Amino acid sequence: MNASGRGRAAVTLKDLAAELGIHVSTVSRVLHSDKDVARGAASEETARRVRDLAKLRGYSPDPQATGLRTRRTRAIGVIVPRLSDIVLATMYEGVEEAAAESNHSTFVMNSHDDLDEQRRKAEIMLARRVDGLILGDVHAGSSLVDDLTKRHVPFVLMNRRYPGFPSSTCDDTGGGRLVADHLWDTGHRSVAIIAGEPYASTGVDRTAGFVERWHELGGEVPGDRVLPSRFDTEGGRRAGEELLEQVRPAPTAVFAVNDFAAIGAMGAFRAAGLVVGQDIAVVGFNDTSLAAQLPIPLTSVRSPMLEIGRTAAGMLRRVMAGEEVASVRHPPELFVRESSASVAVRDAPVRDALIREAPVGESESARIA
């Protein structure tokens, strides 16, 4: 401490500029701008001297002062249904990585896939003066994207798409077609789909891609074999139970549009006396790290989750710069494992005779084991 009892005065841009003998604006652009702008502000040698001195003198920018000067906070807000979902968490990791490369900070909030919560969380973020938003939870028919557009708020979509707005997603339709080809090639003709939530483009597009390709191949998917469900193990379990109760003969293969729904369905089939991979084939989507580690490894479509998030952050930077941005559909890849690799599925009468009611009181952990 100095004689007045206060800590040492903070080093300012002017201090650095005076010591280096260059203009303060040059110092500011080197330390505060995106990489491309910083490169154009000074020679490599000068930029190195600026950064070295800033580090030596312990310079730290004041975020509030910077925001007042530039009207930007260099903060990005991200809204997802729930960060406990490994798919969304991985996408957010990609957002954070890419944002850091351009000197942006990020923060994330959960909407729990509720329309009112989506709007409330967006308003909280805008009140904190974020430079832009990444929405990972858009609903079909939502008015939020139109309202943000009218207010000139920069934003992009991630994970789910919405017609007319830039988004970074997996090619979900193409992923559904991959599953249809795989199941057809392994000899299945009687299939069902656990289709997810009807407001989410992910489930809608994956289902549509499968059905479209199945019809092209010469198959049929009756309406009672397309079951909506939540995107979690409990939703998949309930859909699996409903499928076995309502459909006879039981399908030989099931496509669940989400790995966790697939795992829940596998638990329901096991509890009903069926052996996944022998009596009934199951395919999931996203290829989360859990899929390959299950007692019966799950065939799944891999979605490039990290890259989806990184791309969304890059797209938002361009939107904030006033550029026109096109949507990006990342290619999926199918990984075949034990849950659907075998073509040796028992005849329908034999399988239907095996199906029994799930034991009362069986735990969820036992169901999905």
Side-chain angles (χ1 to χ4, degrees), residues 16-302:
L16 298 176
E19 188 167 348
L20 291 165
I22 59 179
H23 198 278
V24 66
S25 65
T26 302
V27 176
S28 177
R29 292 175 71 191
V30 168
L31 296 178
H32 295 161
S33 300
D34 291 343
K35 291 179 181 178
D36 290 342
V37 175
R39 268 196 294 269
S43 68
E44 289 186 12
E45 173 61 21
T46 299
R48 183 189 61 76
R49 290 173 55 221
V50 169
R51 295 191 182 98
D52 287 350
L53 183 63
K55 184 177 181 180
L56 180 66
R57 297 285 181 258
Y59 170 74
S60 179
D62 179 347
Q64 291 185 337
T66 301
L68 288 172
R69 285 195 305 273
T70 65
R71 296 189 180 276
R72 291 189 177 184
T73 59
R74 303 200 71 79
I76 293 171
V78 184
I79 304 176
V80 298
R82 52 192 61 80
L83 204 57
S84 59
D85 184 322
I86 190 172
V87 175
L88 277 306
T90 304
M91 289 182 186
Y92 178 66
E93 184 179 340
V95 169
E96 193 173 41
E97 285 181 4
E101 292 170 4
S102 62
N103 204 27
H104 285 84
S105 62
T106 63
F107 71 100
V108 63
M109 301 184 82
N110 299 313
S111 69
H112 304 290
D113 247 340
D114 179 83
L115 287 172
D116 291 335
E117 277 295 286
Q118 289 171 2
R119 188 172 292 276
R120 190 173 76 84
K121 297 299 173 63
E123 293 301 333
I124 290 172
M125 289 183 165
L126 294 175
R128 295 185 183 183
R129 298 182 60 222
V130 296
D131 293 341
L133 295 172
I134 296 176
L135 306 179
D137 61 349
V138 69
H139 280 212
S142 170
S143 61
L144 178 60
V145 288
D146 291 316
D147 292 346
L148 293 174
T149 301
K150 290 175 184 176
R151 294 164 63 181
H152 304 289
V153 174
F155 71 91
V156 298
L157 309 180
M158 176 183 75
N159 181 47
R160 299 175 186 169
R161 65 176 185 85
Y162 193 104
F165 296 92
S167 59
S168 173
T169 68
C170 180
D171 179 1
D172 293 310
T173 303
R177 292 175 67 87
L178 288 177
V179 178
D181 280 331
H182 165 62
L183 293 179
W184 188 271
D185 289 345
T186 48
H188 295 281
R189 297 297 182 266
S190 174
V191 296
I193 304 171
I194 297 177
E197 301 280 12
Y199 55 71
S201 69
T202 46
V204 171
D205 288 350
R206 292 165 191 175
T207 299
F210 182 97
V211 172
E212 177 186 70
R213 181 57 180 156
W214 199 255
H215 287 169
E216 289 173 1
L217 293 167
E220 293 293 332
V221 186
D224 64 350
R225 296 192 176 207
V226 179
L227 286 74
S229 73
R230 297 199 327 241
F231 291 117
D232 57 16
T233 54
E234 179 63 18
R237 180 185 64 80
R238 290 181 179 177
E241 291 174 345
E242 182 180 343
L243 186 66
L244 295 182
E245 289 169 2
Q246 296 183 3
V247 177
R248 285 291 187 276
T252 65
V254 173
F255 170 39
V257 300
N258 167 284
D259 278 357
F260 292 104
I263 292 168
M266 289 168 74
F269 301 153
R270 175 181 176 274
L274 299 177
V275 177
V276 173
Q278 295 180 23
D279 301 316
I280 189 166
V282 179
V283 180
F285 204 108
N286 284 319
D287 196 37
T288 55
S289 56
L290 184 61
Q293 305 305 319
L294 296 168
I296 299 176
L298 174 65
T299 296
S300 187
V301 177
R302 179 169 296 175

Side-chain angles (χ1 to χ4, degrees), residues 7-12 15 57-60:
R8 186 175 59 185
V11 176
T12 66
D15 296 332
R57 297 285 181 258
Y59 170 74
S60 179

